């Protein structure tokens, strides 16, 4: 396609917190959009300054726990001036080829949303194998019709204020798939990757717990072996949570069965970290089951302490 540098009638939503390392590249990649919102969570670095310098509208989100989290709150409350919204995380980039395709697809009245495939980069290497590609996410949609699913994880502490692995559910219309990929590359170091996945493992443990206890999933995308790729993954997760030795299986699946070894040293490190991540999920799931569905709790005493006796003379 021939690139057209005119602004497109799309509003971009970027959730952020302390993302000064990633925001410049992210904001540069979405400059084709007519409107850009950065929804910040009281960053202590230069995130707000950077966003404003790039012409983005900065809105502060104050999380009080519970539901909704940042993206759903933004979809409900931001004054978008365009029908179409594109949700982009700070460590993601929208390519010029993707923008050219977006310019065409939003003209089609048959569709109300589109999945975008992600190329995940890790230590400078595209992790093309190990089940990381394709990685479909519904990010471009008519904002009045799409909301993130509620997986009933909001009561778990230390998961952050933003929807991360939840998927968008459309209330009506037809959903398509874009041909061009977006890029996912975090410019921060491995410390932040491990720190982030420590939070994610709290979230995943609750998802596992809900699957094992048969929690209501009526507000989710659902799970189906014969559905789209996202619903198939959700169906397979229902089987996965019941398997033994998941940390070992995760590495074998990623590195050998799904050919993660073809991505070299970065693929090996990524596979080992995923195995560690699976172990973290497992021990936190144990914690949830031991304490009746709660994380980070101290067992209550079984009886009241004996009051000290007072002797008077």
């Amino acid at each position: 396609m021939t690139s057209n540098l005119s602004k497109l009638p799309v509003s971009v939503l970027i959730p952020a917190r302390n993302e000064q390392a990633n925001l410049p590249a992210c904001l540069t990649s979405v400059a084709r959009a007519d409107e850009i919102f950065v929804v910040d969570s009281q960053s202590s670095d230069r995130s707000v300054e950077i966003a404003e310098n790039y012409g983005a509208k900065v809105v502060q989100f104050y999380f009080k726990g519970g539901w909704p989290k940042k993206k759903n709150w933004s979809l409900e409350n931001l004054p978008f001036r365009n029908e179409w919204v594109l949700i982009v995380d700070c460590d993601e980039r929208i390519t010029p080829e993707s923008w050219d395709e977006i310019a065409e697809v939003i003209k089609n009245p048959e569709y109300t949303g589109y999945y975008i495939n992600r190329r995940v980069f890790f230590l400078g290497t595209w992790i093309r194998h190990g089940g990381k590609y394709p990685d479909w996410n519904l990010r471009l949609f008519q904002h009045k019709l799409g909301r993130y699913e509620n997986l009933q994880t909001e009561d778990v502490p230390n998961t952050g204020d933003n929807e991360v692995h939840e998927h968008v559910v459309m209330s009506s219309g037809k959903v398509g798939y874009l041909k061009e990929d977006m890029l996912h590359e975090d410019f921060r170091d491995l410390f932040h990757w491990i720190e982030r996945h420590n939070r994610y493992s709290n979230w995943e443990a609750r998802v596992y717990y809900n699957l094992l206890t048969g929690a209501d999933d009526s507000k989710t995308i659902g799970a189906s072996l014969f559905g789209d790729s996202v619903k198939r993954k959700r169906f397979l997760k229902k089987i996965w949570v019941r398997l033994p030795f998941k940390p070992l299986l995760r590495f074998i699946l990623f590195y050998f069965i799904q050919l993660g070894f073809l991505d070299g040293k970065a693929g090996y490190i990524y596979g080992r970290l995923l195995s560690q991540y699976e172990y973290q999920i497992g021990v936190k799931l144990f914690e949830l089951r031991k304490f009746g569905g709660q994380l980070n709790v101290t067992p209550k005493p079984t009886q009241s302490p004996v009051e000290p006796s007072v002797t008077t003379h």
Side-chain angles (χ1 to χ4, degrees):
M1 294 182 182
T2 301
S3 179
N4 180 357
L5 297 180
S6 61
K7 298 289 185 179
L8 299 181
V10 174
S11 295
V12 170
L13 166 60
I14 303 174
R17 184 177 185 275
N18 293 335
E19 288 282 1
Q20 64 180 18
N22 285 313
L23 269 171
C26 178
L27 289 165
T28 298
S29 80
V30 299
R32 291 277 300 275
D34 167 66
E35 179 179 54
I36 302 170
F37 281 99
V38 172
V39 183
D40 183 60
S41 298
Q42 300 80 61
S43 290
S44 58
D45 64 1
R46 296 180 55 247
S47 292
V48 171
E49 176 190 347
I50 291 169
E52 291 176 342
N53 287 342
Y54 277 82
K57 302 174 182 179
V58 178
V59 176
Q60 289 296 330
F61 173 64
Y62 296 89
F63 185 53
K64 299 178 181 179
W67 192 262
K69 288 194 173 185
K70 188 184 291 184
K71 291 175 185 174
N72 265 1
W73 179 89
S74 300
L75 290 169
E76 289 285 350
N77 292 283
L78 295 185
F80 298 115
R81 65 174 177 234
N82 300 294
E83 181 181 33
W84 288 88
V85 66
L86 174 64
I87 298 181
V88 183
D89 290 336
C90 292
D91 53 8
E92 295 172 341
R93 330 276 173 244
I94 306 300
T95 66
E97 293 79 10
S98 290
W99 279 116
D100 289 340
E101 185 178 13
I102 289 170
E104 297 301 319
V105 299
I106 60 176
K107 299 175 184 177
N108 188 341
E110 186 179 357
Y111 292 88
T112 58
Y114 291 91
Y115 282 95
I116 305 178
N117 198 7
R118 294 195 309 177
R119 297 187 185 187
V120 174
F121 288 81
F122 178 75
L123 295 177
T125 299
W126 175 16
I127 306 299
R128 190 169 185 172
H129 304 89
K132 295 303 295 180
Y133 186 86
D135 180 21
W136 294 103
N137 292 265
L138 184 54
R139 297 292 193 83
L140 176 66
F141 55 94
Q142 294 178 15
H143 68 85
K144 293 181 180 179
L145 302 179
R147 294 294 182 270
Y148 280 84
E149 62 183 342
N150 185 349
L151 293 175
Q152 302 182 54
T153 62
E154 59 269 23
D155 62 329
V156 179
N158 302 321
T159 59
D161 66 355
N162 188 34
E163 300 90 340
V164 177
H165 296 127
E166 290 90 346
H167 292 279
V168 172
V169 178
M170 301 296 294
S171 60
S172 63
K174 190 175 179 180
V175 176
Y177 292 79
L178 297 185
K179 296 178 181 178
E180 299 292 340
D181 297 343
M182 72 163 118
L183 309 181
H184 177 285
E185 183 172 17
D186 193 340
F187 293 147
R188 296 173 299 178
D189 57 25
L190 281 175
F191 173 89
H192 291 92
W193 192 100
I194 294 170
E195 179 186 52
R196 186 168 70 250
H197 281 75
N198 187 28
R199 296 197 311 272
Y200 292 172
S201 61
N202 275 20
W203 183 92
E204 288 278 12
R206 168 59 76 178
V207 171
Y208 281 26
Y209 182 84
N210 290 346
L211 289 172
L212 290 170
T213 57
D216 178 28
D217 64 355
S218 60
K219 296 182 180 180
T220 74
I221 60 169
S224 173
L225 180 61
F226 303 104
D228 59 28
S229 61
V230 177
K231 290 183 178 180
R232 285 197 300 272
K233 283 185 178 180
R234 189 65 56 78
F235 176 85
L236 292 173
K237 180 168 278 190
K238 287 188 172 184
I239 300 173
W240 174 260
V241 297
R242 292 170 169 82
L243 296 179
F245 310 115
K246 284 189 286 293
L248 175 61
L249 289 176
R250 186 85 180 254
F251 180 77
I252 292 173
L253 180 65
F254 173 89
Y255 196 68
F256 295 107
I257 298 175
Q258 296 178 311
L259 308 181
F261 65 87
L262 293 177
D263 294 321
K265 184 69 172 180
Y268 175 76
I269 295 171
Y270 199 89
R272 288 293 301 269
L273 287 173
L274 286 181
S275 177
Q276 174 183 308
Y277 176 53
E278 193 66 51
Y279 182 76
Q280 290 177 332
I281 297 170
V283 295
K284 291 176 180 180
L285 174 61
F286 172 80
E287 185 181 22
L288 279 171
R289 301 180 85 167
K290 183 173 182 178
F291 296 117
Q294 297 183 69
L295 282 174
N296 307 330
V297 298
T298 302
K300 296 179 180 179
T302 56
Q303 60 184 20
S304 299
V306 177
E307 293 290 338
S309 59
V310 177
T311 304
T312 60
H313 298 279

